[in-house]
């Protein structure tokens, strides 16, 4: 970091700052300018509390140079990380292929999940999504089928080879979900549930981490860092839209997050155009845009009867629409040197 002193800062103040820097186990390089003195702090300051130095007498501001996350950063690992999803189709997120994960918002019944799974597999998906534990805004809304839902997902994997991606909402669900899933989904509402991040960090299966609806990219990457710091380095970042003042869409899908996350991190990035828009008729365009922007994967809500879906019907596309969309994005993938 660079510490910029206020114009006319006294020598005593600069000396005190240097003392604090050394106390942190870091070194200083003092640059005396005409108007201001600047102190370059040398050493890995990522895990030090920079805010302390910002409020020291005579200090104007502190400018960080290194990202506060380490394992997730590009500085740490130059080459992109590719994460195998599991399942019999050998889908990978982060390689040259764009991995498509599709399925219902919620697992509703055995026949529903099986019908959708077969249809999305047929169209080229490698992963099956579906919530058995649902984080609902209202406590009176459908909360998911719990273990029975997980059993239906496992059955669908058995029949289709698709890798299962399903949400885990709390620490006490981790063991149960681990018995059925291939990939843990940590939802937007839990992105900063640090106890849950630690718990999935102790697991070996990959984690698809959704961006919180009001989280900055730095907070998002620090959440990924929690999981990685516990030993599970298989983190898939998922941009699912953020909450803005816009009311035409459920969330504002921040697609610039894809190249920006790729710039600062080696982790693969997946886009969720379903939560990202809230409207089924916008999903197709956002899938195209996400692939064009370099997304490593898509996670899409598909329902065989959206009008009667128990959750998120308005943003769910039909298997027919999904299959059409897949044809289009295959062409776009080729244009950006990828394949599906
Ligand atoms: C979902 O995938 O159905 C879901 C609840 O996602 P999010 O956590 O992004 O809202
Ligand atoms: Mn949903």
């Amino acid at each position: 970091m660079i510490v910029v002193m206020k114009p006319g800062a006294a020598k005593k103040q600069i000396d005190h700052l240097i003392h604090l820097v050394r106390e942190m186990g870091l070194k200083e390089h003092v640059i005396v300018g005409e108007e201001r003195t600047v102190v370059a702090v040398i050493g890995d300051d990522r895990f030090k509390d920079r805010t302390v130095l910002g409020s020291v007498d005579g200090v104007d501001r502190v400018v960080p140079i290194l990202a506060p996350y380490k394992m997730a950063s590009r500085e740490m690992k130059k080459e992109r990380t590719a994460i195998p999803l599991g399942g019999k189709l050998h889908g990978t997120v982060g390689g040259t292929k764009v991995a498509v994960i599709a399925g219902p918002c919620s697992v509703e019944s055995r026949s529903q999940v099986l019908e959708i799974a077969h249809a999305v597999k047929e169209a080229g998906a490698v992963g099956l999504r579906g919530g058995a534990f649902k984080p609902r805004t209202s406590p009176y809304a459908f909360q998911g089928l719990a273990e029975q839902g997980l059993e239906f997902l496992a059955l669908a994997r058995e029949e289709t080879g698709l890798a299962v991606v399903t949400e885990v909402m709390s620490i006490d669900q981790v063991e149960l979900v681990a018995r059925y899933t291939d990939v843990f989904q940590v939802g937007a509402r839990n992105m900063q549930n640090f106890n849950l991040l630690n718990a999935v960090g102790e697991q070996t299966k990959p984690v698809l981490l959704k961006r919180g609806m009001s989280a900055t990219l730095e907070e998002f990457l620090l959440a990924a860092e929690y999981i990685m710091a516990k030993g599970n380095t298989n983190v898939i970042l998922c941009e699912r839209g953020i909450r803005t003042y816009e009311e035409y869409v459920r969330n504002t899908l921040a697609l610039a997050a894809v190249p920006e996350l790729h710039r600062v991190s080696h982790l693969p990035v997946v886009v969720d155009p379903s939560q990202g828009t809230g409207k089924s008729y916008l999903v197709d365009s956002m899938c195209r845009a996400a692939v064009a922007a370099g997304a490593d994967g898509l996670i899409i809500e598909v329902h065989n009867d959206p009008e009667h879906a128990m959750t998120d019907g308005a943003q769910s596309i039909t298997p027919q629409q999904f299959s059409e969309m897949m044809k289009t994005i295959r062409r776009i993938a080729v244009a950006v040197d990828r394949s599906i």
Side-chain angles (χ1 to χ4, degrees), residues 303-310 313-314 316:
H303 201 286
N304 50 349
D305 183 8
E307 288 178 359
H308 296 101
M310 294 178 89
S316 300

Side-chain angles (χ1 to χ4, degrees), residues 105 129 134-135 167 185 187-189 210 240 272 275 301:
C105 175
R129 63 147 292 148
K134 294 303 299 178
E167 179 157 356
Q185 176 174 325
R189 290 155 191 82
K210 298 263 197 126
R240 47 75 74 205
D272 178 343
Q275 328 302 319
E301 287 182 350

Side-chain angles (χ1 to χ4, degrees), residues 322-338:
F322 177 74
S323 162
E324 290 303 315
M325 184 280 299
M326 288 293 281
K327 286 183 199 149
T328 315
I329 62 167
R330 278 183 207 281
R331 298 205 299 272
I332 294 171
V334 172
V336 293
D337 300 326
R338 305 290 281 271

Side-chain angles (χ1 to χ4, degrees), residues 153-180:
L153 286 167
L155 182 62
R157 170 180 49 216
E158 195 58 34
E159 288 194 8
T160 61
L162 292 164
V164 169
V165 180
T166 196
E167 179 157 356
V168 58
M169 279 174 54
S170 63
I171 306 178
D172 53 289
Q173 291 167 0
V174 172
E175 249 187 66
L176 173 68
V177 174
R179 268 189 260 135
Y180 294 92

